Amino acid sequence: MKIIDSHIHFDQYDGRGQEQILADMEKVQVESLLTVSMDLESSIINDQLSRKDSRIKPAFGFHPEQPLPSEQEMMELLNWMQAHQHNMVAVGEIGLPFYLRQENHAIELAGYIKILDRLLAFAKEIDKPVILHAVYEDAPIVCDLLEKHDIRKAHFHWFKGDGQTIARMIRNGYRISITPDVCYEREIKDLVSLYPLELMMVETDGPWEFEGEFKGKSTHPGMIHEGVRHIASIKGLPVDQVYETLYRNTKDFYEI
């Protein structure tokens, strides 16, 4: 019944929160944490954390839900990632700023597309998977860029989108990851029913907090277990089979 949290912002937990999660991992059968980065500073912290504990598997990148970096900042990030690629399991979190644009309609997408294009080209060059933040109408744009760069190892975390895009992602063999909100969100339940289990992983996106039975609780990788049980129920499969498939999917995809 081992699990891997395939997407967590571990560097955003305070010291006590990090220590608690690491102390609990064996007890709750969490083997590894795929910890994603926001920018260069976040990447450096995740790199340092991973060198202290081998269960932390770091991804480095630029999260799109923030102001665009300057050219100098972008070059510093890319140069640092180039130098630290051997400790990096993936390029991420990268993508497009859907939620930021809902708050500020004046934000133009073109600059973010250029940044994403550069990061995808870099991932292709160093042969690393990509961890993507791309939902709703942004997802087809990201699919276009992935196809442009012939990137197959693409992981769309906490994905939401239309049926046509979902079908396209399945055809291309792109992975998705499911958060504990599968326990209470109809949209995510429907996605799980449509998407092949063989292309699925699980995540928390912690420290993001959840509703339902998790309301008011600090997000912990152990919450994934309840999500796995819901995935098994939706798929109509034995829970031990679902655990093994999700675990193996993540191990194989990230080569960890």
Side-chain angles (χ1 to χ4, degrees):
M1 301 297 186
K2 288 182 182 177
I3 55 174
I4 297 171
D5 190 337
S6 70
H7 190 101
I8 183 170
H9 294 267
F10 193 64
D11 64 306
Q12 293 187 10
Y13 286 83
D14 63 23
R16 181 177 294 181
Q18 292 175 1
E19 290 172 4
Q20 187 65 59
I21 287 172
L22 294 174
D24 290 344
M25 282 176 66
E26 186 174 356
K27 179 177 65 178
V28 298
Q29 295 180 288
V30 177
E31 182 177 283
S32 304
L33 306 173
L34 268 292
T35 183
V36 294
S37 301
M38 297 290 293
D39 51 23
L40 177 56
E41 180 183 3
S42 175
S43 297
I44 291 171
I45 294 171
N46 280 321
D47 180 60
Q48 293 169 343
L49 289 168
S50 73
R51 295 178 190 276
K52 295 176 182 176
D53 193 316
S54 62
R55 297 174 297 177
I56 297 172
K57 311 298 182 181
F60 308 139
F62 179 80
H63 195 295
E65 300 283 359
Q66 58 184 320
L68 282 168
S70 67
E71 177 60 24
Q72 179 179 345
E73 289 170 332
M74 193 65 203
M75 288 307 303
E76 287 175 354
L77 174 62
L78 287 169
N79 289 338
W80 186 90
M81 290 169 65
Q82 180 77 45
H84 292 81
Q85 61 179 285
H86 300 298
N87 195 41
M88 173 174 53
V89 297
V91 174
E93 180 173 358
I94 61 176
L96 297 177
F98 178 83
Y99 299 107
L100 194 64
R101 296 195 331 274
Q102 307 313 300
E103 298 171 4
N104 183 354
H105 296 293
I107 291 175
E108 294 186 2
L109 197 55
Y112 289 91
I113 291 174
K114 288 180 181 178
I115 293 292
L116 177 58
D117 191 60
R118 290 172 71 177
L119 288 163
L120 290 175
F122 174 76
K124 181 68 175 181
E125 177 188 333
I126 64 171
D127 192 27
K128 296 286 185 180
V130 293
I131 304 173
L132 296 159
H133 175 96
V135 297
Y136 300 118
E137 61 260 33
D138 290 348
I141 301 171
V142 173
C143 287
D144 289 343
L145 291 171
L146 291 169
E147 290 168 1
K148 169 188 170 182
H149 291 284
D150 192 27
I151 292 174
R152 295 289 174 175
K153 295 195 75 172
H155 168 193
F156 287 72
H157 102 95
W158 208 340
F159 176 76
K160 300 112 179 154
D162 60 53
Q164 185 175 354
T165 304
I166 290 170
R168 180 182 184 183
M169 288 166 56
I170 293 170
R171 286 196 304 272
N172 286 348
Y174 300 153
R175 305 295 178 100
I176 63 168
S177 52
I178 304 300
T179 72
D181 76 341
V182 69
C183 300
Y184 57 86
E185 282 285 353
R186 172 50 55 190
E187 183 179 21
I188 304 304
K189 291 176 185 286
D190 291 344
L191 175 63
V192 167
S193 70
L194 290 171
Y195 223 86
L197 184 65
E198 293 71 23
L199 297 177
M200 201 176 294
M201 297 181 278
V202 282
E203 61 156 302
T204 59
D205 200 27
W208 181 270
E209 295 183 354
F210 293 96
E211 298 295 322
E213 65 196 84
F214 311 109
K215 187 174 179 62
K217 298 179 181 179
S218 297
T219 297
H220 189 290
M223 292 176 174
I224 287 173
H225 288 291
E226 193 60 36
V228 174
R229 288 189 280 271
H230 275 75
I231 292 169
S233 175
I234 293 166
K235 289 295 193 184
L237 294 170
V239 69
D240 57 344
Q241 178 185 336
V242 172
Y243 267 104
E244 176 60 27
T245 301
L246 294 169
Y247 172 78
R248 183 50 53 192
N249 288 348
T250 314
K251 293 278 284 187
D252 292 347
F253 183 83
Y254 285 110
E255 300 179 8
I256 56 175

